Amino acid sequence: MTDAADFSLADFLIGISDDPLVPDEEFVRWRRETAWATSQYEPVMADAPEARTRILVDGEPRQVLNLASYNYLGLARHPQVLDAATAALRHFGLGTCGSPLLSGLTTLHRRLEEGVARLVGKTDALLFNSGFGGALGCLGGLLRRGDIAVLDADAHICLHDGARVTGAQVRTFAHNDPEDLDRVLTQTYGGRRLVVVEGVYSVFGDIVALPAIAAVAREHGVQVVIDEAHSVLVLGERGGGVVDHFGLEDEVGLIYGTFSKGFAALGGFAAGPVETLDYLRCYANTYVFSCGLPAPIVAGIEAALQVATREPQRRARVLAEADWFRTQLRSIDIDTGASAAQVIPIIIGSDRRRLYELGHALRRAGLFLAPFDYPAVPEDRLCFRACITASHQRADLEEALDIIERVVVGRPAPVRSRRRKAGRNSILLFPGQSSFDPRMLRDARALWPELTQEVVAMSAAALDRDLSEWLDEVRPRSNEDLQVAVFATTHVHLRALQRVHEEGGRSLGLSLGEYNHLVHIGALDFADGVRLVAARGAAYDQGPPGAMAAVFPLHLAELEETLATDERTRAVEIVNLNSPTQNVIAGEAGAVRAAIALIEGKTLARAVIIDPRHPMHSSRYRPVADALRPHLETTRWRSARHPYLPNVTAEPVTAPSPDLITDMLCRHVCEPVRWRASIDRALRDLPNGGRDALFIEVGPGTVLTDLLRAPWRVEPRVSTSRWTRTVEALAGFRGH
Amino acid sequence: MTDYVPWYTDCHFEFFFEIPTEQLTPLVPAPLQVVEPRPGVALLWVGFLRFEAGNIDVLPAFHGVTCNVIVHLRVLDGGVRLDLASFVVRIASDCAQFVDWAQRVDRMTVVDCPGLRAQVDRAHASCAVEDDRGPIFTLTSPASEVGWREGLFKIQVFSQDSGGLWEAWVEWFGSYADRQRPTHPDTRLAYHPLFGELDVRTARCIRQMYTAPSRTAVMKYYAPRRMRLAPSAGSR
């Protein structure tokens, strides 16, 4: 036996060894000889299951584009999920230390049961600590010897095993075929029967033909159990799964689901009538005889449920992107079967050796896909499975398509990759109001006359005031003027950049620049942005007085230590953490002046007043945040095309909700701006950890690129205010 | 065990087909259990053998076809390692003496196939078998490159007749190719009494084994023994 392609796991079901603890020697040899292929199983991840992650390849962490994880709504590391899990961990501890029946439930479990039941439209639910185990427990608890379980032929093995473990007869009907179900139910007349299907089939991604299947079952007087493992939170108006999608809650007797996919956690649930669930609480052995889900997991799941309910755009986005990706795959002659959801097979056929060779080639090219071999799938439908998630950006999927087309289809590097290349590895940085320059619009007009006039006209229209004089010089009469002018000028630079740089890649903005960032990612219309920025500036103008000073070069710990040494400066806050050695302090003006004297007296650092009037981002500005909130709440927020990277958390958010954006923008008025952490975080999601990245400061001045100094950051950087250099750098970056 | 009869053959095809478990389970008597490589799918094992005169005892040249179901092994006393177990559903032959032998000595169910004949194309590892009622099957290897290897298989063969359930042991040694490849378009099972009521139209072939041309394989076919069933827990 020398060729992995000639055998599969199915072959070693047939032979047995002398001793159950000693595998068949043929199996051992086969495993050894096929290690080159099977090493693709049990891949070891070095980072979280995000759109981009690292896996160990030949023992070394390697950056990959991840289409192998179930993190469908991108909730695995959502701040609210992490906060909830962390709080529960501290309060309840790591494990429940008992079976749910005896001591393994908490108040969190009960709340989640209610939440899940509501989600799927049932009256009661119970929780399992394992997705597979839950299905095993449900069917094992409900069925008895002599019963007949009628399963879809492609139903997951946990459902087959659950039925078999009871000694019930297991019959299958042709996959998703109501006529064949009718045939089987007609043949199996008499006795207790149960029809078992999946919502979205786990490898081929097709959706159960539930209306027809439920109708056939109803005609035969048989109830339906559905496994919504891959569909809950993703399909349906409220995220309740396929049953919700079709509005057939009354046609399905029991809904089973898992928390390991859309919820990005672990475990499972069953939901149905109170009496059925009560019966399962007594007879589902995997519930009765194993510990309850750990409380941190339960809390995380509940938070995920809240986010998914509050942000339906996440599931809309997943399905829309999956639809786009599937269409693109089909256009390059990839067989995606009957997939209709976020699970998309890339069917290779029957050539097993090719499957594994392609698997290695795809990973070497930076694409992480899971291989599926016989007997997990039919022998002539060996495939890779792509899981599309809300965390995937269009650029990610385009990159995946490029790799698939090159590696699987065997065509040379396609257009979409070249078009996106510059955008993919660049990070746009939008500056705050410290980049103000009275002549910034005049300079912009010199470079891009029509564009500048257009943006100024749009700003004037949005505010219903004449701004034409700004084209010569901006003489701000208020912070409102200053903010609007910087915001508008930055937008001119962005539009100019987009003319030569297409889409642009990821972005983030410092303080005011966060509003330009929101415009760039599509969450905010420019005109709405102008009005919002004006409201922000007006609120600043009404805010309590104070001052801000930049301190450099001084490490944060040293700065904190210095400020703590004097009674007068303890109230001064560090409000901008801009780089390892540059931070900004703010507070009452006298205290800030005292701090400057203290710092310059005790250290070799300099401290310079950068705003004598506004103690921005300090807790003194809480009333400003309150004044701004109504404006934020009434703004028309749109679906973001790229992740939103708020200043205050430095954690990217995919598909941010209006509530979340409002909250983040309110907080950043009176909480520190974590610019350094934001930069580091943005790089982490890029290929090769951002080592190939190009920083582009988009707007007037070079404040932000000046912060990016070695040894902190050594990546190339340009500023659009040095336009000729920017164009040259972009050309070089693309390899033109 | 020394009471075996050697069977020599220079042409032997064995192909495995996926059939829904619900179709094969009724063919297999308890306590035997079908093997399911995939949930709801079991394996039908269809074979063709050609024997020259004298290859089995004093029998003349003849063809044999087999229709078995792959079942779970039952470990023999003494811990002998086995490779495969099957239950013989039916066999057929164009040799009356072999039919008598198979029924009387090997305790197999034999189906009458008048005019059984075969066309064998060793170059393409293909055989087409039919009788006077029409085609029975065509087995064609989908593998274009063949690597031959020598091998010994120990196979447990279960059969049933009016005398009960029987268990035999076969040792097969020869030069063969063993492939797990999808169905070749020219591999077809036909509606034929050999397959009884089985719906074989969509049967998918997932494994092919066949002997090397110009090489003779030998099977030691040990005399069947009535199967001893383990006492149930309640009988103690």
Side-chain angles (χ1 to χ4, degrees):
Chain A
M1 188 184 301
T2 53
D3 192 348
D6 281 347
F7 300 92
S8 74
L9 287 172
D11 291 297
F12 305 99
L13 287 167
I14 295 171
I16 56 174
S17 64
D18 309 342
D19 181 340
L21 291 184
V22 180
D24 181 282
E25 63 189 37
E26 285 286 297
F27 171 79
V28 173
R29 205 168 80 192
W30 176 74
R31 289 285 287 174
R32 196 171 55 235
E33 291 177 0
T34 59
W36 70 269
T38 53
S39 61
Q40 285 171 45
Y41 296 109
E42 297 186 310
V44 178
M45 298 181 72
D47 284 324
E50 303 278 15
R52 289 184 187 275
T53 188
R54 290 181 308 156
I55 59 173
L56 298 191
V57 177
D58 300 327
E60 292 294 320
R62 188 188 178 107
Q63 193 83 24
V64 287
L65 176 53
N66 178 14
L67 293 186
S69 296
Y70 299 139
N71 187 11
Y72 291 139
L73 297 192
L75 299 175
R77 297 186 74 244
H78 189 283
Q80 190 177 330
V81 172
L82 298 184
D83 286 350
T86 306
L89 178 65
R90 293 195 182 285
H91 184 81
F92 289 100
L94 188 59
T96 51
C97 304
S99 151
L101 217 60
L102 305 177
S103 62
L105 289 183
T106 67
T107 48
L108 300 180
H109 290 75
R110 283 288 183 237
R111 225 163 52 205
L112 181 59
E113 286 174 350
E114 288 167 16
V116 165
R118 257 196 316 276
L119 173 72
V120 299
K122 293 291 181 188
T123 48
D124 194 11
L126 85 161
L127 314 178
F128 292 94
N129 62 11
S130 148
F132 193 106
L136 205 67
C138 275
L139 293 183
L142 294 171
L143 294 168
R144 296 289 175 266
R145 185 175 291 279
D147 292 343
I148 302 171
V150 182
L151 275 68
D152 184 288
D154 281 6
H156 194 269
I157 195 163
C158 64
L159 302 170
H160 283 269
D161 282 1
R164 272 198 294 231
V165 78
T166 64
Q169 186 186 340
V170 178
R171 296 290 305 269
T172 54
F173 63 97
H175 175 54
N176 229 359
D177 185 344
E179 281 183 29
D180 200 49
L181 173 63
D182 184 51
R183 177 188 66 81
V184 174
L185 288 176
T186 304
Q187 286 176 354
T188 56
Y189 182 77
R192 300 199 319 164
R193 293 171 297 169
L194 197 60
V195 170
V196 184
V197 295
E198 280 187 62
V200 166
Y201 284 87
S202 58
V203 179
F204 293 111
D206 44 338
I207 297 174
V208 63
L210 192 59
I213 283 174
V216 170
R218 188 175 62 245
E219 277 173 31
H220 287 271
V222 180
Q223 294 240 49
V224 176
V225 171
I226 188 167
D227 179 353
E228 298 263 30
H230 288 267
S231 38
V232 70
L233 282 198
V234 177
L235 285 169
E237 196 176 333
R238 59 175 186 274
V242 165
V243 174
D244 177 20
H245 172 73
F246 288 116
L248 291 174
E249 286 80 357
D250 294 337
E251 298 275 334
V252 173
L254 188 82
I255 295 175
Y256 181 73
T258 66
F259 296 126
S260 48
K261 280 81 176 180
F263 290 92
L266 177 76
F269 68 87
V274 172
E275 296 76 13
T276 311
L277 272 288
D278 187 51
Y279 187 78
L280 277 176
R281 287 178 205 283
C282 300
Y283 288 106
N285 286 350
T286 56
Y287 178 79
V288 176
F289 297 105
S290 56
C291 277
L293 264 177
I297 301 290
V298 175
I301 292 168
E302 190 187 24
L305 176 58
Q306 287 165 357
V307 175
T309 304
R310 193 176 63 225
E311 300 175 11
Q313 66 270 26
R314 284 178 182 269
R315 50 182 166 273
R317 182 176 148 68
V318 171
L319 293 173
E321 289 302 304
D323 197 40
W324 181 85
F325 190 63
R326 190 167 38 244
T327 304
Q328 297 299 312
L329 284 173
R330 287 172 181 164
S331 75
I332 57 171
D333 304 322
I334 295 285
D335 180 1
T336 59
S339 164
Q342 78 287 5
V343 178
I344 305 175
I346 295 167
I347 299 171
I348 300 303
S350 55
D351 191 337
R352 180 170 296 113
R353 173 170 283 279
R354 182 163 179 258
L355 174 79
Y356 290 112
E357 285 173 350
L358 287 176
H360 282 300
L362 288 166
R363 287 185 192 183
R364 278 197 302 273
L367 182 59
F368 180 26
L369 285 165
F372 282 74
D373 190 1
Y374 183 83
V377 292
E379 219 276 343
D380 58 350
R381 302 190 81 200
L382 311 185
C383 65
F384 296 98
R385 179 178 66 182
C387 296
I388 309 302
T389 75
S391 301
H392 288 116
Q393 303 303 310
R394 181 60 63 84
D396 295 329
L397 299 181
E398 286 181 331
E399 185 180 336
L401 282 164
D402 285 351
I403 295 172
I404 291 166
E405 187 162 7
R406 196 170 63 244
V407 173
V408 179
V409 183
R411 274 202 284 265
V415 173
R416 63 180 93 78
S417 179
R418 289 198 295 271
R419 196 179 69 231
R420 292 282 183 183
K421 188 175 177 188
R424 196 180 66 225
N425 290 339
S426 62
I427 301 180
L428 309 191
L429 309 176
F430 298 109
Q433 52 182 300
S434 61
S435 291
F436 174 78
D437 180 320
R439 296 193 182 110
M440 61 191 177
L441 274 169
R442 192 178 72 180
D443 293 345
R445 187 174 61 169
L447 285 166
W448 316 291
E450 290 173 9
L451 198 52
T452 307
Q453 281 169 353
E454 184 190 337
V455 170
V456 171
M458 284 165 59
S459 306
L463 298 176
D464 195 20
R465 57 181 278 207
D466 181 12
L467 302 175
S468 55
E469 66 181 33
W470 285 9
L471 288 168
D472 293 322
E473 186 173 357
V474 182
R475 297 193 193 93
R477 291 187 292 269
S478 61
N479 186 260
E480 176 184 341
D481 280 359
L482 191 145
Q483 290 204 35
V484 170
V486 172
F487 177 73
T489 308
T490 297
H491 191 66
V492 175
H493 283 246
L494 173 64
R495 294 273 303 275
L497 183 71
Q498 285 173 330
R499 282 182 176 179
V500 298
H501 187 55
E502 296 99 20
E503 177 63 17
R506 289 163 195 264
S507 66
L508 62 160
L510 184 143
S511 190
L512 170 66
E514 190 164 319
Y515 289 76
N516 292 98
H517 163 54
L518 286 162
V519 171
H520 173 241
I521 64 174
L524 180 63
D525 178 74
F526 174 70
D528 289 338
V530 170
R531 284 187 283 271
L532 202 46
V533 165
R536 183 179 187 254
Y540 277 36
D541 287 327
Q542 300 300 315
M548 297 177 83
V551 182
F552 54 90
L554 192 65
H555 285 283
L556 179 64
E558 210 178 337
L559 174 59
E560 287 172 331
E561 224 172 80
T562 306
L563 293 175
T565 58
D566 193 300
E567 189 68 37
R568 290 170 304 165
T569 58
R570 278 188 201 138
V572 171
E573 297 170 37
I574 301 169
V575 294
N576 283 52
L577 293 82
N578 285 341
S579 80
T581 54
Q582 207 258 43
N583 300 286
V584 176
I585 57 174
E588 189 273 320
V592 170
R593 277 195 297 274
I596 290 172
L598 185 67
I599 291 162
E600 295 195 335
K602 286 199 161 190
T603 73
L604 295 175
R606 288 188 61 206
V608 178
I609 293 279
I610 56 171
D611 194 305
R613 163 73 182 83
H614 302 95
M616 301 173 214
H617 311 300
S618 73
S619 58
R620 292 170 67 84
Y621 252 35
R622 203 166 299 283
V624 177
D626 293 340
L628 179 60
R629 179 174 284 280
H631 298 278
L632 293 164
E633 285 175 342
T634 52
T635 294
R636 287 174 301 172
W637 299 102
R638 297 157 194 274
S639 295
R641 293 188 301 270
H642 299 289
Y644 169 42
L645 188 47
N647 282 176
V648 291
T649 62
E651 271 301 321
V653 182
T654 303
S657 67
D659 287 351
L660 184 135
I661 297 173
T662 298
D663 190 43
M664 292 293 129
L665 292 177
C666 276
R667 284 175 58 187
H668 110 173
V669 171
C670 55
E671 289 184 26
V673 168
R674 301 177 61 211
W675 184 247
R676 176 192 177 186
S678 300
I679 290 280
D680 288 340
R681 184 65 184 83
L683 283 168
R684 226 171 71 196
D685 283 342
L686 289 179
N688 298 320
R691 284 191 295 278
D692 308 326
L694 171 69
F695 286 110
I696 306 174
E697 180 172 3
V698 185
T702 58
V703 170
L704 299 182
T705 44
D706 288 347
L707 288 173
L708 301 170
R709 291 174 185 279
W712 174 40
R713 297 268 48 123
V714 295
E715 294 79 6
R717 51 193 181 273
V718 292
S719 168
T720 52
S721 61
R722 309 281 186 271
W723 185 242
T724 308
R725 284 184 56 191
T726 299
V727 173
E728 287 170 359
L730 285 175
F733 190 63
R734 287 176 180 146
H736 284 184
Chain B
M1 276 204 216
T2 53
D3 51 339
Y4 65 84
V5 174
W7 298 14
Y8 298 93
T9 177
D10 62 351
C11 181
H12 188 176
F13 288 77
E14 299 286 359
F15 280 35
F16 292 50
F17 291 85
E18 285 190 339
I19 300 277
T21 303
E22 65 192 49
Q23 287 194 49
L24 294 187
T25 299
L27 304 181
V28 175
L32 303 179
Q33 286 189 314
V34 301
V35 170
E36 285 187 306
R38 297 195 288 139
V41 175
L43 294 173
L44 184 72
W45 183 14
V46 175
F48 168 77
L49 302 96
R50 188 173 66 193
F51 299 100
E52 300 298 335
N55 275 2
I56 301 179
D57 201 41
V58 294
L59 298 185
F62 68 98
H63 299 130
V65 294
T66 60
C67 175
N68 293 8
V69 175
I70 302 293
V71 296
H72 283 286
L73 286 157
R74 289 169 60 82
V75 177
L76 297 177
D77 294 342
V80 177
R81 196 187 72 79
L82 297 164
D83 299 300
L84 188 64
S86 74
F87 174 75
V88 180
V89 179
R90 293 179 195 89
I91 67 161
S93 173
D94 55 351
C95 172
Q97 291 152 285
F98 177 71
V99 167
D100 174 61
W101 176 299
Q103 287 176 314
R104 185 170 45 81
V105 178
D106 294 334
R107 304 287 182 170
M108 294 176 181
T109 302
V110 182
V111 64
D112 190 25
C113 290
L116 183 70
R117 50 196 176 270
Q119 277 193 318
V120 177
D121 176 356
R122 298 309 303 259
H124 297 97
S126 175
C127 68
V129 179
E130 60 182 6
D131 68 4
D132 291 347
R133 284 169 296 194
I136 302 174
F137 55 69
T138 304
L139 308 179
T140 302
S141 170
S144 53
E145 299 165 6
V146 177
W148 305 108
R149 55 194 145 209
E150 301 271 311
L152 170 67
F153 286 92
K154 294 179 179 178
I155 305 165
Q156 203 168 23
V157 178
F158 300 99
S159 59
Q160 189 176 37
D161 65 7
S162 56
L165 192 54
W166 300 85
E167 173 183 324
W169 183 10
V170 176
E171 285 179 355
W172 188 101
F173 180 80
S175 180
Y176 71 101
D178 186 354
R179 294 291 169 126
Q180 191 180 86
R181 294 279 167 85
T183 305
H184 186 281
D186 285 340
T187 290
R188 288 184 298 269
L189 302 181
Y191 272 123
H192 190 276
L194 182 73
F195 301 119
E197 299 298 314
L198 289 177
D199 180 359
V200 293
R201 284 170 304 177
T202 56
R204 197 197 316 262
C205 177
I206 57 111
R207 189 170 178 183
Q208 309 84 28
M209 303 171 78
Y210 43 95
T211 49
S214 311
R215 300 292 296 272
T216 299
V218 61
M219 282 185 282
K220 293 179 181 175
Y221 207 114
Y222 290 86
R225 297 181 303 181
R226 197 184 304 277
M227 201 165 137
R228 286 177 301 167
L229 302 179
S232 69
S235 66
R236 287 192 296 175

